[in-house]
C-alpha cells in the first residue's frame, strides 16, 4: 500500500472492495472493528479508509480472532455468553458457539481448532472446541480476567487478571495452572514479541509494561510508559520486532517503544480513549479503535502521524486486520 492508494475516489474503490471481498477469488484486505453499543462489526477497506459493510452480530461484541486460513472471524459476545462466527467471504455471521459467562477477549490455538476466552464476570479462562462447541476446560484465573495470549508452540495460555495484578499461565490442553506471575497494577493486555520469546503485559493503572521470559515463565523486567499516568492498554509489535505500539486511553495517544531499549521514543495523538490496535502485515499502517470518539485512527508509521479518522460504530473496542 502507498499514499497514492489513499487518494483514490472512495466510492469507486468501495465498490471494487465489496465485489472482491465478498465472493471473488482475490480478496482485498479488510479491517474488522467491533462496536460494543450498536452490536455490530464495521468492515473498513484499508485501500479507501472507509466503512464498506456493517455486520450485525450479538450483544456487546469485544475481542476478535481470525482463523489460520483467514476464512472465519470469531467475536466475543459478552452479553450472549457466546462467540459469534463470521464468514469472511460473505461478510455475515453464520452462528454462535457457547463460550461460558461474559467472554471478553478471544485467541485461537495455532491450529485454529480451539478458542480460549477470558470470562470476566466469573473470573475464569475457558477453552472451547470450535468444531463441537464443547468446553474443554474452565479454570479460575483471578478477578477480572481480560488479556489472553497463546505461546507460539500452542502449549501454554497466558491470562491477565486486572484486580489481582497477575498473569496466570495455563497448560493449553488441560487448563492446569502452571504459574502465577505478579505484574503491574490493573494488567489489561498480554502480547508476544514476534519471535515468541518474550511476553509484554500492559498495566493500565500502573502505567507500565512488565516483560516475561516465555521459556522460564519469569518476570525479567518492567518499564514505565511516559509519566505512568496515560493508562496503557493494548500492544502491537512491528513485524521486525524493533518497535512496539501501545494505546493509551487517558492520553488519547499511542506510544512508540524501542523494544531493545524498553523506552518510549515517540507519541502519536489519536482519538479519545483508544483501546484496540492493529498493524498492516508490512507494518506500514497502524490503526487504533478510539472508543470515545467512535472512530478508527489511521496512522502512517513512517511519519508517525494520523492520516485520517474513519467514523465507525459507537464504542469501537477491538481491531482485526485480515490480509
Amino acid at each position: 500500500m502507498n499514499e497514492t492508494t489513499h487518494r483514490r475516489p472512495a466510492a469507486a474503490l468501495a465498490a471494487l472492495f465489496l465485489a472482491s471481498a465478498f465472493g471473488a477469488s482475490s480478496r482485498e484486505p479488510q479491517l474488522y472493528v467491533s462496536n460494543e453499543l450498536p452490536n455490530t462489526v464495521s468492515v473498513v477497506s484499508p485501500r479507501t479508509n472507509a466503512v464498506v459493510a456493517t455486520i450485525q452480530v450479538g450483544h456487546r461484541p469485544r475481542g476478535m480472532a481470525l482463523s489460520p486460513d483467514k476464512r472465519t472471524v470469531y467475536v466475543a459476545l459478552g452479553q450472549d455468553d457466546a462467540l459469534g462466527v463470521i464468514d469472511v467471504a460473505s461478510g455475515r455471521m453464520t452462528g454462535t458457539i457457547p463460550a461460558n459467562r461474559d467472554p471478553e477477549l478471544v485467541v485461537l490455538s495455532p491450529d485454529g481448532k480451539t478458542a480460549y476466552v477470558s470470562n470476566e464476570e466469573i473470573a475464569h479462562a475457558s477453552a472451547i472446541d470450535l468444531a463441537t462447541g464443547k468446553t474443554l476446560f474452565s479454570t479460575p484465573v483471578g478477578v477480572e480476567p481480560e488479556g489472553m495470549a497463546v505461546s507460539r508452540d500452542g502449549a501454554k495460555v497466558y491470562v491477565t487478571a486486572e484486580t489481582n495484578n497477575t498473569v496466570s499461565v495455563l497448560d493449553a490442553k488441560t487448563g492446569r495452572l502452571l504459574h502465577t506471575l505478579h505484574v503491574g497494577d490493573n494488567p489489561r493486555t498480554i502480547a508476544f514479541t514476534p519471535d515468541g520469546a518474550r511476553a509484554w503485559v500492559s498495566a493500565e493503572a500502573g502505567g507500565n509494561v512488565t516483560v516475561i521470559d516465555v521459556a522460564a515463565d519469569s518476570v525479567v523486567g518492567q518499564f514505565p510508559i511516559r509519566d505512568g499516568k496515560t493508562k496503557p492498554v493494548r500492544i502491537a509489535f512491528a513485524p521486525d520486532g524493533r518497535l512496539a505500539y501501545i494505546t493509551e486511553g487517558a492520553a488519547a495517544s499511542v506510544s512508540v517503544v524501542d523494544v531493545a531499549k524498553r523506552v518510549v521514543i515517540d507519541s502519536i495523538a489519536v482519538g479519545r480513549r483508544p483501546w484496540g490496535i492493529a498493524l498492516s502485515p508490512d507494518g506500514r499502517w497502524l490503526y487504533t479503535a478510539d472508543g470515545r470518539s467512535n472512530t478508527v485512527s489511521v496512522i502512517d508509521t513512517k511519519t508517525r502521524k494520523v492520516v485520517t479518522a474513519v467514523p465507525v460504530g459507537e464504542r469501537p473496542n477491538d481491531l482485526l486486520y485480515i490480509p
Side-chain angles (χ1 to χ4, degrees):
M1 191 185 318
N2 55 47
E3 292 184 10
T4 305
T5 62
H6 283 263
R7 300 192 187 102
R8 291 178 184 176
L13 276 176
L16 174 64
F17 173 85
L18 281 172
S20 59
F22 303 135
S25 58
S26 178
R27 188 180 65 216
E28 289 284 313
Q30 305 175 38
L31 184 73
Y32 273 32
V33 188
S34 60
N35 304 303
E36 288 193 56
L37 293 189
N39 302 318
T40 61
V41 169
S42 296
V43 182
V44 174
S45 165
R47 305 294 185 188
T48 66
N49 290 328
V51 173
V52 295
T54 300
I55 304 169
Q56 195 70 38
V57 295
H59 297 89
R60 200 184 179 192
R62 291 179 287 188
M64 296 181 289
L66 179 65
S67 63
D69 63 9
K70 301 177 178 58
R71 295 180 179 179
T72 307
V73 169
Y74 300 91
V75 54
L77 304 174
Q79 292 182 357
D80 292 342
D81 302 340
L83 295 176
V85 182
I86 299 174
D87 175 69
V88 174
S90 65
R92 295 185 178 89
M93 193 172 86
T94 59
T96 59
I97 299 171
N100 284 334
R101 185 78 186 99
D102 189 27
E104 178 148 352
L105 295 187
V106 54
V107 294
L108 301 187
S109 58
D111 63 8
K113 295 180 179 181
T114 306
Y116 301 97
V117 300
S118 50
N119 300 110
E120 185 174 28
E121 189 171 304
I122 61 173
H124 277 220
S126 301
I128 296 108
D129 184 303
L130 292 173
T132 66
K134 178 182 177 181
T135 298
L136 302 175
F137 66 74
S138 186
T139 302
V141 289
V143 181
E144 290 189 287
E146 179 170 351
M148 299 285 293
V150 180
S151 61
R152 176 174 286 186
D153 62 4
K156 296 181 291 187
V157 178
Y158 295 75
V159 192
T160 66
E162 292 184 61
T163 299
N164 294 71
N165 304 328
T166 58
V167 169
S168 296
V169 185
L170 309 180
D171 183 293
K173 297 297 183 185
T174 67
R176 181 171 67 92
L177 178 65
L178 302 175
H179 303 282
T180 300
L181 307 176
H182 292 275
V183 295
D185 293 346
N186 190 210
R188 294 293 301 272
T189 296
I190 184 163
F192 288 112
T193 54
D195 62 7
R198 296 285 188 268
W200 283 24
V201 183
S202 63
E204 187 175 35
N208 54 44
V209 169
T210 299
V211 182
I212 296 170
D213 180 283
V214 174
D217 284 329
S218 62
V219 172
V220 294
Q222 189 177 89
F223 63 94
I225 299 300
R226 297 206 282 164
D227 64 0
K229 298 178 182 179
T230 61
K231 299 193 180 300
V233 184
R234 302 209 180 143
I235 304 168
F237 287 97
D240 63 8
R242 296 174 62 186
L243 298 176
Y245 303 94
I246 303 177
T247 55
E248 301 167 274
S253 64
V254 173
S255 270
V256 184
V257 179
D258 183 304
V259 171
K261 296 179 180 179
R262 298 177 187 171
V263 63
V264 175
I265 60 172
D266 207 347
S267 180
I268 306 165
V270 294
R272 291 184 296 127
R273 290 284 177 182
W275 292 323
I277 193 167
L279 265 171
S280 60
D282 61 4
R284 176 67 194 278
W285 302 101
L286 179 69
Y287 305 86
T288 64
D290 306 327
R292 299 295 186 182
S293 295
N294 301 329
T295 57
V296 168
S297 291
V298 181
I299 300 162
D300 183 333
T301 58
K302 288 187 176 181
T303 64
R304 295 179 186 161
K305 295 185 182 299
V306 173
V307 297
T308 191
V310 183
V312 290
E314 193 171 356
R315 298 287 180 86
N317 182 291
D318 201 17
L319 294 174
L320 188 63
Y321 194 103
I322 305 174

